[in-house]
Amino acid sequence: MNRTRVAVLGAGIVGAACARELSRAGFDVVVVDRGRPAGGTTSHGEGNILVSDKGPGAELELAKLSLRLWPQVVAEIADEDPRAAAAIEYDPKGGIVVATTDDGARALTAFAASQPGVRTESLSPKELADTEPALTREVTAAFHYPEDAQVQPAGAALALLGSALRHGARLRCGTEVVGVSVRKGRITGVRVPGEVIEADVVVNAAGPWAGQVSALLGAPIAVRPRRGEVLVTTPMPGVVRHKVYDADYVGAVGADSGDLRTSAVVESTWGGTVLIGSSRRRAGFDDTIRPEVLSAIAVKALRLFPALADAAIMRAYGGFRPYVDDHLPVLGEDPRLGNLWHATGHEGAGIGLSIGTARLLRELLTGAEPAMPVAEFTVDRPAVVAEEAA
């Protein structure tokens, strides 16, 4: 019996997660990427798996689904390849969100109370000091989110992709999609230099480049890049114990302006380095590192962790998030072109949401009952099929 052929466009973490789910479900999967696996946005992320930054609605439900699935997926990969699972560096360390003004405290308290099904713990000043000794004492409210976790993003993507390959998927690196093959209003394959890769289903998982890819395929969607930068210190084991961020971060994530927005986001890695973010701005695909952006990030981080004033910065990096105006992922079949599916638009949450997105895609393609409602992620909503994408 012939298996359904699926071409997944993009070998970042969302594409890798989709390839794994579909290959395990019996689909004949090929992953196509113009570069290398995890070589784009995925390798420039912090690896967050968060519920703490998401208000009530579909994205929070997807985050909760992903949060439940991540430990299962890590355990499954560990059974296949313990070294690959170790490279994921899955760390359910929890997160702490703080406010430093009275208005911020009221907003943070209301936000924490609005998140259905999310565990939160209000921390007293003493509890906060015991939990994060290096954190500033000028805090007006603090909430612990014990369910927040972290992974090493490139390691996680490669582990997911490796699992997909073990289940029969194939990988085409250095292969750029240049066109599409269509018959009777349905995609039958994607054109790459010198050939057509035939497919019964094409999944656009190209992250910030999904808008460009969708236009190339003839069904444009309004996914655009939103740039961010991160500072990385030399190893400072034990200085920062959780992911800690100022409540302003939630506002920066939800901001619609293309102007620069910064907020204090500080966390450590397994290796002891401290990641300091974050920024958001719309700059197209300009990958220039701007010193003034790094400076603004550092200033806000020092207000949370004054001890970082003596930290040695080892490097800085930046990347592009796949941005949609309504701040929701895009998941589902494109009504304008049969056999074309999209799995993109997660902005800065793609690492955490990748596992849940892949599970929903597999359920939709197999006709199973989705694990959660997906109506808010549809391709034909106004923010996705926007005028500028037409």
Side-chain angles (χ1 to χ4, degrees):
M1 182 176 179
N2 292 332
R3 295 188 296 161
T4 301
R5 301 165 300 177
V6 180
V8 176
L9 310 185
I13 196 164
V14 173
C18 291
R20 179 180 184 272
E21 277 284 342
L22 297 180
S23 60
R24 282 166 55 89
F27 290 84
D28 179 11
V29 178
V30 58
V31 181
V32 182
D33 197 289
R34 66 180 179 181
R36 305 293 296 179
T41 288
T42 294
S43 62
H44 296 88
E46 294 178 72
N48 294 317
I49 304 172
L50 304 181
V51 291
S52 57
D53 63 340
K54 297 171 181 63
E59 188 184 31
L60 176 58
E61 297 308 308
L62 179 56
K64 286 155 54 176
L65 170 63
S66 299
L67 198 69
R68 294 193 300 271
L69 292 175
W70 263 107
Q72 299 175 25
V73 170
V74 172
E76 290 166 356
I77 292 176
D79 288 339
E80 300 171 2
D81 185 344
R83 292 181 63 182
I88 296 173
E89 297 185 11
Y90 176 73
D91 187 1
K93 62 184 178 182
I96 294 176
V97 187
V98 301
T100 55
T101 66
D102 290 338
D103 286 345
R106 285 188 288 270
L108 175 57
T109 301
F111 182 80
S114 75
Q115 298 172 286
V118 175
R119 292 170 54 199
T120 62
E121 302 166 355
S122 178
L123 298 177
S124 69
K126 182 181 185 308
E127 290 170 329
L128 182 61
D130 290 342
T131 303
E132 288 288 348
L135 185 65
T136 179
R137 299 296 181 262
E138 297 179 9
V139 171
T140 54
F143 283 85
H144 177 218
Y145 284 81
E147 297 170 305
D148 280 357
Q150 183 184 20
V151 295
Q152 206 294 328
L158 294 176
L160 291 166
L161 186 57
S163 179
L165 297 179
R166 283 190 291 275
H167 287 88
R170 289 158 288 128
L171 176 63
R172 297 281 301 269
C173 295
T175 304
E176 185 166 7
V177 173
V178 296
V180 64
S181 177
V182 178
R183 183 181 303 120
K184 296 181 179 179
R186 306 186 73 82
I187 285 184
T188 59
V190 291
R191 298 185 184 278
V192 301
E195 66 175 303
V196 173
I197 299 175
E198 296 183 347
D200 305 302
V201 173
V202 173
V203 179
N204 176 14
W209 295 272
Q212 293 182 348
V213 169
S214 65
L216 192 66
L217 299 177
I221 58 175
V223 175
R224 291 166 291 178
R226 201 180 191 195
R227 181 143 178 95
E229 284 88 6
V230 175
L231 294 163
V232 186
T233 74
T234 54
M236 304 174 65
V239 174
V240 182
R241 302 175 181 180
H242 301 76
K243 177 185 177 68
V244 183
Y245 63 87
D246 191 298
D248 285 347
Y249 175 76
V250 176
V253 171
D256 295 323
S257 170
D259 297 336
L260 173 66
R261 294 288 300 267
T262 60
S263 54
V265 182
V266 183
E267 64 187 311
S268 60
T269 68
W270 272 16
T273 59
V274 176
L275 307 180
I276 302 172
S278 69
S279 66
R280 277 173 163 76
R281 59 188 172 93
R282 293 230 291 271
F285 285 104
D286 180 1
D287 62 0
T288 304
I289 296 287
R290 289 171 45 183
E292 66 271 23
V293 175
L294 301 181
S295 177
I297 292 170
V299 166
K300 290 198 172 182
L302 287 173
R303 291 174 186 165
L304 280 191
F305 285 91
L308 292 176
D310 296 326
I313 299 299
M314 182 169 59
R315 63 189 179 96
Y317 64 86
F320 303 104
R321 306 175 181 94
Y323 172 83
V324 180
D325 280 342
D326 63 5
H327 307 286
L328 288 173
V330 184
L331 175 62
E333 187 172 16
D334 197 306
R336 301 163 297 175
L337 183 58
N339 298 344
L340 173 61
W341 291 67
H342 301 282
T344 184
H346 302 84
E347 201 172 336
I351 304 297
L353 300 181
S354 59
I355 299 296
T357 297
R359 179 62 55 90
L360 292 174
L361 177 66
R362 188 257 288 168
E363 290 167 342
L364 292 169
L365 282 171
T366 59
E369 181 69 22
M372 59 165 284
V374 297
E376 292 189 51
F377 302 143
T378 56
V379 180
D380 58 355
R381 65 187 199 263
V384 178
V385 187
E387 190 171 314
E388 63 257 46

